[in-house]
Amino acid sequence: MLDNVTEELVREVLNEYKKKDPICECSRCEDDIVAMVLNELPPRYFLSGDGPGDRVAFLLNHKLRFEALIRITEKVPIVFQRNHG
């Protein structure tokens, strides 16, 4: 099975964001935020021969995490308004 590791990164950053700034917890809003952010970020897939360290390094990349956080912050009010406004 193929796994877009960018999605894992975005979901991790979204969970960190929710700890500091409460947002709607419904799965529809969360999935919409993730989808909107993923549409703006390049996907990342690892080959079967890549080591686990490559994946961890990607997930801990500060620049990517910051970029995801910026996009999440932009999308939260848009998604909330769309789904509950």
Side-chain angles (χ1 to χ4, degrees), residues 17 23 33 72-83:
Y17 177 88
I23 64 170
I33 292 166
I72 287 167
T73 303
E74 294 170 347
K75 304 309 180 219
V76 166
I78 295 168
V79 168
F80 184 81
Q81 179 64 30
R82 235 171 123 177
N83 292 344

Side-chain angles (χ1 to χ4, degrees), residues 13-79:
V13 173
L14 179 59
N15 285 330
E16 291 170 10
Y17 177 88
K18 290 185 333 186
K19 290 176 186 175
K20 296 177 180 159
D21 192 9
I23 64 170
C24 179
E25 295 276 338
C26 77
S27 61
R28 180 178 176 191
C29 283
E30 287 189 20
D31 287 344
D32 285 352
I33 292 166
V34 171
M36 290 176 80
V37 172
L38 288 175
N39 284 335
E40 296 179 2
L41 296 175
R44 180 67 164 107
Y45 299 91
F46 287 94
L47 303 175
S48 57
D50 292 339
D54 296 319
R55 183 184 183 104
V56 170
F58 177 82
L59 291 171
L60 295 177
N61 182 302
H62 293 291
K63 182 181 178 212
L64 293 173
R65 293 180 80 80
F66 186 66
E67 191 166 332
L69 177 60
I70 290 169
R71 293 174 194 273
I72 287 167
T73 303
E74 294 170 347
K75 304 309 180 219
V76 166
I78 295 168
V79 168

Side-chain angles (χ1 to χ4, degrees), residues 3-17:
D3 183 25
N4 179 1
V5 185
T6 303
E7 180 178 353
E8 184 177 343
L9 182 141
V10 169
R11 288 192 184 277
E12 281 183 10
V13 173
L14 179 59
N15 285 330
E16 291 170 10
Y17 177 88

